[in-house]
Amino acid sequence: MQCKNIFQNDIHFEFSTFNQVQRRYKVTEMQFSTQTYGQFLETIPDAALVIARDGKILLANGRACVLFIHLSTGPEKLNLQELVSEAHHEMLARSLEDFWNDPVPGSFDLMFLRSDGSEVPTRVEIQQLELREGLCAICIVRDLTEFNRSIETLMESEERYHMISAVASDYMFSTRVHGDGKLVLNWVAGAFEAITGFTFDDYIAHGGWRSLIYPEDLALDDRHLEKLKRNQPVVDEIRTLHKDGRIVWVRIYAHPVWNAKNQVLTGIYGAVQDITERKRAEEIISASEKRLTLIFDAVNDVIFLLTVESEGQVRFAAVNQAFLATTGLRREQVIGQRVGDVLPQASSPLVIERYNTAVRENKTIHWDEASENPTGKLVGEVTITPYRNEEGKCTHLVGSVHDITEIRRAEAEITKLNQELEQRVAERTEQLQTANKELESFSYSVSHDLRAPLRAINGFASIIARRHRAALNAEGQHYVDNVVLASERMGLLIDDLLTYSRIGRAGVRHEPVPLEEIMGSIIIDLETRLQQIHGILKIEDPLPVIIGDRTVVYQIFSNLIENAMTYRKSDVPLKILVSSRSDSKKAMICVSDNGIGIPSEYFDKIFNIFQRLHSDDEYPGTGIGLATVKKSVELLGGSVWVESRIGEGSNFFVKLPRNGR
Ligand code: ADP
């Protein structure tokens, strides 16, 4: 405890003064009375009391009278004990007893009572004194309040120092240049042990600073020393070796101590800061930056970073390799330049407005842009994304251009091919339509031309069968009957074919046709046959007015109803129902029967010409009826289909444009 020593010295000094005084008066000491001694006591700066063996106060100097309670009333009547805090009475008694047993100068600490009644910590220096009145003791009472406070302050500051040393990431040092020119560390404070791993003495023993520099950085240390020798301070980062062998990155702040007279370096002082953690963090960041740069430069898309200066003012902050390769520019021609100055197409008001929109509305903007580049024409999908800083201000724009030249080229190719294909289909359709028409007119001509000779065959065969029957034997009669039958069937076939090929030949009308009227005509025409087969035909009201051609519409529904009559079940009375459903544009009419039904695999096929599911003996027919229906319906812009179950009946649906009025 340095301070204690200082204090002791101090007291000692006081005492020696006193002793000197005593010594000076030694010869006459015995003649000193309390009175003359009293004057002497006033020369002592501290409180001084002369007490008798029983503790009775014989003398007190002025300082004591001011300080201590009761003394003002007259010290002679008091005992020292009355000036001391009650808690310390016992201690006082013991200390005095010890002193009188062996009266050598000594000291003890006590709490005295101040004149205002408060306690004051004191140190009592006691020494024997022989006065004329007898053997006494002089007590010099020193107030320790200030001393204690300074001790506390010192301890606090020491504590603070230790604390700072413990948590500090740096240490301070000073070195001296010895006579042989060697630099020797002579003082350190702070986190020296934490940074080096050595105590001060071990460090010196190990060889000091120079021996603990990372070998690769020795040259750097040399340069530092050179600077210091030129009286220049050094602030730099260097690698040192910890006692355990690991590398510790430090930042040094070294200042030369310069002897101006002789122009020589006499020492160095400064600080060393542990920056290993920071270096590690920097390494991690730089590694991740390197990786990002690698990705940035490896991607095929053009990527760039722009700094936003003001509305419409953007400059290139970074561009990737693909950017340079595409534009044929060098990095220094781009970085820091205005976008419009580097890329002419980016200076158009439209593009500037897009940048501004991205900044203003804080949203990603896309557009396609065509540009002329040294690498050729490029169509790119441009994307601009704004970056906002913590205050929400848009400081940067990140842009990318994805090359879609090939995609656009392929799209254009596809569009062209599609157009060509459509053209070819149209041509082909026209050719087919022409061929179809030719075929139809051919079949019409053939059927028409066949009609006359057939009528002749049928007429003459009928005459033979009727008038000359008796002249023929049984075989001859059979043949003639067959000729009549076959010619009749052929007549039907030719009629049906003529009907089929006639559809639409003269063009079709598209006029409102009330289906009720058509159904009325059909009922009249088929009534007799219906009665013969005991069939019922029910028409569900109301039937719509459709848009079409009366003759064609008649053909459609008479065909369907006739088929229902033909393909009925022999053992079940025939029921035919015509019903309808309509929306604003179309009418759907259904012709249902309870006939023999149709296998589902023939639902489509029966609409082909000559497609029959039965022999002529079972059910007579030509296989042209439904083909005629389909052709007619389609001519009117409608459609026809069937739903059926074998043995349960069939539903033929016809969808036709409806008269909206
Ligand atoms: P056709 O009746 O002259 O044979 P279609 O073209 O009118 O010729 O009919 C084709 C085939 O469809 C018929 O042979 C028949 O097998 C079947 N078919 C048509 N309508 C019906 C129906 N209502 N019920 C059962 N089968 C039918």
Side-chain angles (χ1 to χ4, degrees), residues 519 537 556-557 560-561 564 576-579 589-593 650-654:
M519 284 303 162
L537 171 61
I556 293 168
F557 290 101
L560 292 176
I561 293 168
I576 307 169
L577 174 69
V578 179
S579 58
I589 304 102
C590 177
V591 179
S592 327
D593 63 49
S650 308
N651 299 311
F652 281 86
F653 296 94
V654 178

Side-chain angles (χ1 to χ4, degrees), residues 193-307:
E193 284 189 28
I195 292 174
T196 63
F198 290 97
T199 61
F200 180 83
D201 293 337
D202 286 353
Y203 191 76
I204 302 290
H206 188 277
W209 169 260
R210 187 81 184 155
S211 71
L212 287 157
I213 295 283
Y214 184 65
E216 285 180 19
D217 288 355
L218 278 169
L220 179 64
D221 189 56
D222 289 342
R223 288 199 291 279
H224 291 164
L225 194 59
E226 284 309 312
K227 265 188 103 177
L228 288 160
K229 280 181 178 167
R230 292 195 301 273
N231 194 22
Q232 289 167 2
V234 170
V235 179
D236 204 357
E237 289 164 8
I238 195 166
R239 282 169 290 181
T240 62
L241 291 169
H242 191 267
K243 189 182 178 184
D244 63 15
R246 71 187 146 91
I247 294 172
V248 179
W249 267 102
V250 294
R251 188 169 173 78
I252 45 170
Y253 305 84
H255 293 266
V257 182
W258 186 249
N259 181 330
K261 199 175 144 206
N262 300 327
Q263 298 282 301
V264 287
L265 180 75
T266 58
I268 303 165
Y269 72 95
V272 174
Q273 186 185 14
D274 186 348
I275 54 161
T276 313
E277 279 308 311
R278 198 198 78 200
K279 278 280 173 191
R280 199 165 296 149
E282 278 174 5
E283 268 166 30
I284 291 169
I285 290 168
S286 113
S288 109
E289 263 180 10
K290 266 184 204 151
R291 277 199 299 272
L292 276 179
T293 311
L294 202 71
I295 297 169
F296 188 57
D297 279 333
V299 288
N300 288 329
D301 282 2
V302 165
I303 302 176
F304 50 90
L305 181 70
L306 307 171
T307 41

Side-chain angles (χ1 to χ4, degrees), residues 458-470 472 480-481 484:
N458 183 256
F460 290 123
S462 300
I463 291 169
I464 293 170
R466 217 173 38 244
R467 293 197 198 157
H468 306 285
R469 194 168 192 85
L472 297 170
V480 168
D481 287 345
V484 173

Side-chain angles (χ1 to χ4, degrees), residues 496 559-568 591-593 595-599 602 605-616 619-629 642 644 649-652:
D496 281 355
N559 248 309
L560 292 176
I561 293 168
E562 273 187 284
N563 273 352
M565 288 161 69
T566 307
Y567 301 103
R568 68 182 189 276
V591 179
S592 327
D593 63 49
I596 58 170
I598 302 162
Y602 292 105
K605 286 181 185 157
I606 54 169
F607 291 99
N608 293 338
I609 197 161
F610 302 131
Q611 181 70 55
R612 302 208 67 223
L613 305 183
H614 307 279
S615 70
D616 215 32
Y619 296 99
T622 58
I624 301 174
L626 287 181
T628 307
V629 168
V642 68
S644 176
S650 308
N651 299 311
F652 281 86

